[in-house]
Amino acid sequence: MAEHRTMQRGALLDAARSLLSEGGTDALTFPALAERTGLARSSVYEYFRSRAAVVEELCAVDFPVWAAEIEAAMEAEEAAEAKIEAYVRCQLSLVGDRRHRAVVAISAGELDAGAREKIRAAHGGLIAMIVEALGALGHEQPRLAAMLLQGVVDAAVRRIELGAAEDPREVADAAVAMALRGVTG
């Protein structure tokens, strides 16, 4: 029975990822989850008490995996500049991934304080990785630079998500250039 419940919970999370990536937070409803999984709506409530609870669990499950991929890409590099480039490129390469689209949709959504705190904590882990590389480059305010760099990455993510005129590789190249050389690059 426990295995069956774990499978159903996994199916609900997978359906939530699809709904979020297709239609953003508005698409994530219990009737839609029930329809996607073939469960009764009342069954969905047995697993999650609210949309925020679904979102919290998605963040708890997906964000660490996503962060680990970025961390691995950074750790594979020796030089601080290469670590920063890996940080930017890896995040942008995840744009087409449903887990990433779900997390992007979530971060834009109206969440309860608990869900927002979990996202902030997970994001903080990503920021901490880049602060170290920026410090190694001799940046005087590596934490501030990390926050601004993440803003560049977030803008590039949105640009790619919108299906902008530029090829995603061009967006990634421009984001890397800005990360490494500022606006003079």
Side-chain angles (χ1 to χ4, degrees), residues 9 12 14 20 22 24 35 39 52 80 103 105 114 118-119 121 161:
R9 191 175 202 89
L12 284 165
D14 207 45
L20 283 165
E22 290 160 20
E35 188 183 321
L39 293 170
V103 169
K118 280 199 170 95
I119 292 171
E161 288 268 332

Side-chain angles (χ1 to χ4, degrees), residues 11-155:
L12 284 165
L13 289 175
D14 207 45
R17 281 182 199 100
S18 293
L19 290 165
L20 283 165
S21 70
E22 290 160 20
T25 45
D26 291 345
L28 181 61
T29 65
F30 279 31
L33 282 171
E35 188 183 321
R36 286 280 168 110
T37 55
L39 293 170
R41 198 184 315 183
S42 58
S43 296
V44 178
Y45 282 99
E46 287 175 31
Y47 292 92
F48 299 104
R49 69 189 184 289
S50 65
R51 279 178 7 148
V54 177
V55 164
E56 273 186 64
E57 182 129 350
L58 268 181
C59 289
V61 169
D62 289 351
F63 220 114
V65 174
W66 192 47
E69 288 172 28
I70 296 165
E71 194 168 6
M74 288 179 72
E75 284 176 356
E77 301 296 340
E78 290 288 317
E81 278 201 10
K83 286 181 184 297
I84 291 165
E85 180 166 352
Y87 176 82
V88 173
R89 288 197 189 278
C90 191
Q91 285 191 68
L92 297 181
S93 75
L94 293 167
V95 170
D97 187 310
R98 277 183 327 134
R99 291 168 309 156
H100 180 271
R101 277 211 296 272
V103 169
V104 169
I106 287 165
S107 62
E110 64 305 341
L111 300 175
D112 69 20
R116 270 199 304 274
E117 194 42 53
K118 280 199 170 95
I119 292 171
R120 249 196 306 278
H123 233 268
L126 280 180
I127 296 289
M129 291 189 288
I130 202 65
V131 167
E132 195 177 322
L134 289 162
L137 278 181
H139 206 287
E140 287 178 24
Q141 289 184 289
R143 181 132 190 96
L144 173 60
M147 301 307 270
L148 297 175
L149 171 58
Q150 188 58 47
V152 168
V153 172
D154 293 343

